[in-house]
Amino acid sequence: MTASGKVAMKGFSFIELLASVAIMGLLASVALPLAETTVRRQKENELRTALRDIRQGIDAYKAASINGKIAKRAEESGYPKTLEELVSGVDDASQPGSKLYFLRRIPRDPFSQDASVSSVDTWRVRSFQSPPDNPRPGDDVFDISSKSTQHGLNGIPYNEW
């Protein structure tokens, strides 16, 4: 009781509660798109890193082929036949009995939706013989790209990165 004899009420009024809920809803509606953009930006960074790592492995394989460390026939391009070859290794022609390895593992395309697909199968493979405007698989792996049809935050489709 107060000095005037009235009972003091504690708690929130219905209006105060509604205002609080409205403010929280407004803050959540602003934070959600920001969180989605942050997750997308992280996936894009993972994609850039994965593309760079695999492409460096492919280039290192080609350089080893040019330098005579990998035996190849005259009609072969000198690029790996499969992405798995970068991980499993190839015989070192300059040191019999040893192998050359170019990657520890094949990273997964972060925009691949199907978790049951192996990391290797998440990438679109381009052979040395296929044109850049119509990449197709073939006898070797010249380049890779994402299979995703989505566009990046920069407006460029992920499969063109």
Side-chain angles (χ1 to χ4, degrees):
M1 291 189 109
T2 63
S4 64
K6 295 183 180 178
V7 175
M9 301 290 283
K10 294 184 178 182
F12 295 104
S13 71
F14 184 67
I15 299 296
E16 290 171 328
L17 187 61
L18 281 178
S20 298
V21 168
I23 291 170
M24 294 298 282
L26 180 66
L27 290 174
S29 69
V30 169
L32 189 61
L34 183 61
E36 288 175 356
T37 302
T38 301
V39 168
R40 189 174 185 124
R41 190 169 286 127
Q42 287 175 331
K43 281 186 170 186
E44 285 186 1
N45 284 335
E46 288 176 32
L47 178 62
R48 278 188 196 92
T49 301
L51 287 169
R52 184 193 67 230
D53 291 348
I54 295 172
R55 287 173 175 160
Q56 284 177 343
I58 293 169
D59 292 343
Y61 187 103
K62 175 65 174 177
S65 175
I66 290 170
N67 294 330
K69 290 185 169 259
I70 299 173
K72 73 174 189 82
R73 294 191 300 253
E75 68 273 5
E76 293 178 335
S77 66
Y79 287 99
K81 291 177 184 42
T82 63
L83 284 175
E84 290 94 342
E85 238 180 354
L86 299 172
V87 176
S88 63
V90 292
D91 292 330
D92 187 345
S94 65
Q95 294 181 348
S98 64
K99 283 189 148 194
L100 296 171
Y101 300 95
F102 302 94
L103 289 175
R104 290 188 181 113
R105 66 177 181 81
I106 301 293
R108 178 173 200 78
D109 180 350
F111 289 98
S112 176
Q113 302 295 326
D114 191 355
S116 66
V117 174
S118 72
S119 295
V120 171
D121 295 329
T122 62
W123 299 104
R124 183 173 63 175
V125 175
R126 175 183 168 207
S127 75
F128 183 69
Q129 298 298 325
S130 73
D133 57 341
N134 185 19
R136 288 175 280 123
D139 296 335
D140 56 15
V141 178
F142 174 70
D143 195 14
I144 53 112
S145 60
S146 177
K147 288 182 178 179
S148 176
T149 57
Q150 298 176 14
H151 285 69
L153 293 173
N154 60 3
I156 298 172
Y158 293 128
N159 58 18
E160 292 180 13
W161 284 24

